[in-house]
Amino acid sequence: MFYVIGLGLGDAKDVTVKGLEIIKKCDRVYLEAYTSILTVGKQKLEEFYGRSVIIADRELVESGADEILENAEQQDVAFLVVGDPFGATTHTDLVLRAKEKNIKVQVVHNASIINAVGCCGLQLYSYGEVVSIPLWTETWKPDSFYDKIIENYQRGLHTLCLLDIKVKEPTLESILKKKKVYMPPKFMSVAEAADQLLQIIENKTKENEDKSSISSSSLAVGLARVGSDDQKIFVCSLSKMSKVDLGPPLHCLVIPGHSLHPLESEYLSQYADDKAELEKLNH
């Protein structure tokens, strides 16, 4: 059997009882380590599981699927994913590959940022399409995600923005020379995401009172390490968010729709640094 097991969002103990029982009995256990991270490392997981874990980086998952699935017809193989197994399309592809090889698959679900974002008080059924914000470089500054945020905003829907992470990314020079040299890990912060949005707004629109668009004074919700003991939530304007430090990763950013339910406003107010400003931003 090939097991795809969600680990939840916090630390080693967020795995389900079912997931833990499966991990302990498997012949091989892989930990996917590039679409997201836990607040604890491989060593802590191995101590809690009482067994060794194989790190599955991007290269192995995308190019070495056959290695992961090797002998899964006769053995039990577990593939561990931070959050929920289907939070990334890569894992859907891995399940399809297993089924093509006639390998039986079992999925064990867990909490994901997609539903845990409800902790900020914005109602889950009022979210629109989720977007990913990539880290810009000097020569590469895509902004297509902005249009999706605006589409959600115009419909009165909130937008969950998942922020880019770079783990074991090859340097441009190493790609050209075909020699594997990797950049240090980088995790986008809410401040960086807000700054990129502000640059797009400046390029695309003139700030005004048009309710169909967002501006530097629009409401923003920053979240960090959701599900962990030191989780942080901060509510302020988009311009102020570009200067906020919420500490270590992982971060995500929410751009609320143009009008909030009174209960949403009340819940958000506990995370606002300036409640009067929040009241003003919400009108």
Side-chain angles (χ1 to χ4, degrees), residues 124-131 152 155 157-160:
L124 287 178
Y125 53 76
S126 294
Y127 279 80
E129 184 177 353
V130 177
V131 306
N152 287 339
R155 294 170 60 200
L157 301 176
H158 316 313
T159 305
L160 169 60

Side-chain angles (χ1 to χ4, degrees), residues 116 119-120 223-233 246 271:
C119 67
C120 73
L223 301 96
R225 300 172 302 285
V226 172
S228 67
D229 292 338
D230 64 344
Q231 167 181 301
K232 282 192 176 180
I233 303 173
L246 294 187
Y271 304 118

Side-chain angles (χ1 to χ4, degrees), residues 130-134 144-146 148 159-164 188:
V130 177
V131 306
S132 294
I133 300 183
S144 57
F145 60 87
Y146 175 77
K148 294 179 181 179
T159 305
L160 169 60
C161 304
L162 303 178
L163 309 188
D164 201 3
M188 180 183 268

Side-chain angles (χ1 to χ4, degrees), residues 79-193:
F79 185 75
L80 312 183
V81 180
V82 177
D84 185 79
F86 293 122
T89 54
T90 299
H91 311 132
T92 307
D93 181 65
L94 199 55
V95 168
L96 290 174
R97 286 171 180 262
K99 292 189 174 180
E100 283 173 4
K101 296 175 179 289
N102 294 315
I103 296 169
K104 290 186 288 183
V105 177
Q106 183 176 336
V107 176
V108 181
H109 292 284
N110 209 321
S112 162
I113 189 60
I114 305 296
N115 63 287
V117 71
C119 67
C120 73
L122 296 175
Q123 296 165 358
L124 287 178
Y125 53 76
S126 294
Y127 279 80
E129 184 177 353
V130 177
V131 306
S132 294
I133 300 183
L135 281 159
W136 282 354
T137 67
E138 288 298 319
T139 56
W140 187 70
K141 297 185 177 183
D143 60 9
S144 57
F145 60 87
Y146 175 77
D147 295 330
K148 294 179 181 179
I149 294 173
I150 295 303
E151 287 172 12
N152 287 339
Y153 186 82
Q154 290 173 342
R155 294 170 60 200
L157 301 176
H158 316 313
T159 305
L160 169 60
C161 304
L162 303 178
L163 309 188
D164 201 3
I165 69 174
K166 300 288 187 186
V167 179
K168 209 172 180 183
E169 290 281 332
T171 63
L172 179 59
E173 186 180 10
S174 74
I175 294 171
L176 297 174
K177 292 184 176 180
K178 297 184 179 179
K179 179 184 177 183
K180 292 180 181 176
V181 178
Y182 301 102
M183 294 184 286
K186 182 167 176 56
F187 304 91
M188 180 183 268
S189 67
V190 291
E192 289 173 300

Side-chain angles (χ1 to χ4, degrees):
M1 181 78 77
F2 179 60
Y3 295 96
V4 190
I5 301 172
L7 297 183
L9 293 168
D11 56 27
K13 293 182 180 179
D14 281 350
V15 66
T16 63
V17 174
K18 180 191 285 187
L20 182 59
E21 289 174 346
I22 293 169
I23 290 167
K24 287 180 177 291
K25 74 168 188 174
C26 280
D27 297 285
R28 294 195 315 280
V29 177
Y30 293 92
L31 172 64
E32 188 268 270
Y34 78 91
T35 60
S36 190
I37 58 166
L38 286 176
T39 55
V40 296
K42 175 190 172 189
Q43 184 178 345
K44 289 289 186 183
L45 292 180
E46 289 179 329
E47 290 172 3
F48 185 71
Y49 300 153
R51 60 158 308 135
S52 62
V53 171
I54 305 164
I55 292 293
D57 58 22
R58 183 171 195 157
E59 194 173 321
L60 178 59
V61 176
E62 295 187 345
S63 305
D66 289 342
E67 180 181 335
I68 294 172
L69 297 171
E70 186 177 3
N71 295 326
E73 302 93 331
Q74 291 85 35
Q75 297 180 326
D76 287 325
V77 178
F79 185 75
L80 312 183
V81 180
V82 177
D84 185 79
F86 293 122
T89 54
T90 299
H91 311 132
T92 307
D93 181 65
L94 199 55
V95 168
L96 290 174
R97 286 171 180 262
K99 292 189 174 180
E100 283 173 4
K101 296 175 179 289
N102 294 315
I103 296 169
K104 290 186 288 183
V105 177
Q106 183 176 336
V107 176
V108 181
H109 292 284
N110 209 321
S112 162
I113 189 60
I114 305 296
N115 63 287
V117 71
C119 67
C120 73
L122 296 175
Q123 296 165 358
L124 287 178
Y125 53 76
S126 294
Y127 279 80
E129 184 177 353
V130 177
V131 306
S132 294
I133 300 183
L135 281 159
W136 282 354
T137 67
E138 288 298 319
T139 56
W140 187 70
K141 297 185 177 183
D143 60 9
S144 57
F145 60 87
Y146 175 77
D147 295 330
K148 294 179 181 179
I149 294 173
I150 295 303
E151 287 172 12
N152 287 339
Y153 186 82
Q154 290 173 342
R155 294 170 60 200
L157 301 176
H158 316 313
T159 305
L160 169 60
C161 304
L162 303 178
L163 309 188
D164 201 3
I165 69 174
K166 300 288 187 186
V167 179
K168 209 172 180 183
E169 290 281 332
T171 63
L172 179 59
E173 186 180 10
S174 74
I175 294 171
L176 297 174
K177 292 184 176 180
K178 297 184 179 179
K179 179 184 177 183
K180 292 180 181 176
V181 178
Y182 301 102
M183 294 184 286
K186 182 167 176 56
F187 304 91
M188 180 183 268
S189 67
V190 291
E192 289 173 300
D195 182 65
Q196 288 186 188
L197 274 171
L198 289 171
Q199 290 184 55
I200 295 170
I201 291 168
E202 187 177 350
N203 289 336
K204 289 199 171 192
T205 63
K206 290 182 178 179
E207 222 173 280
N208 52 45
E209 296 300 317
D210 184 3
K211 291 281 186 182
S212 68
S213 188
I214 62 174
S215 69
S216 62
S217 60
S218 292
L219 191 63
V221 183
L223 301 96
R225 300 172 302 285
V226 172
S228 67
D229 292 338
D230 64 344
Q231 167 181 301
K232 282 192 176 180
I233 303 173
F234 193 78
V235 178
C236 61
S237 66
L238 190 60
S239 61
K240 189 174 289 186
M241 190 65 73
S242 67
K243 300 175 180 65
V244 166
D245 180 5
L246 294 187
L250 292 172
H251 293 190
C252 64
L253 181 70
V254 177
I255 304 299
H258 59 73
S259 62
L260 301 181
H261 187 280
L263 282 177
E264 291 180 311
S265 297
E266 183 180 351
Y267 204 95
L268 281 179
S269 68
Q270 65 187 306
Y271 304 118
D273 67 324
D274 185 337
K275 289 182 173 57
E277 181 189 43
L278 174 63
E279 187 70 21
K280 182 180 177 183
L281 293 175
N282 193 28
H283 290 85

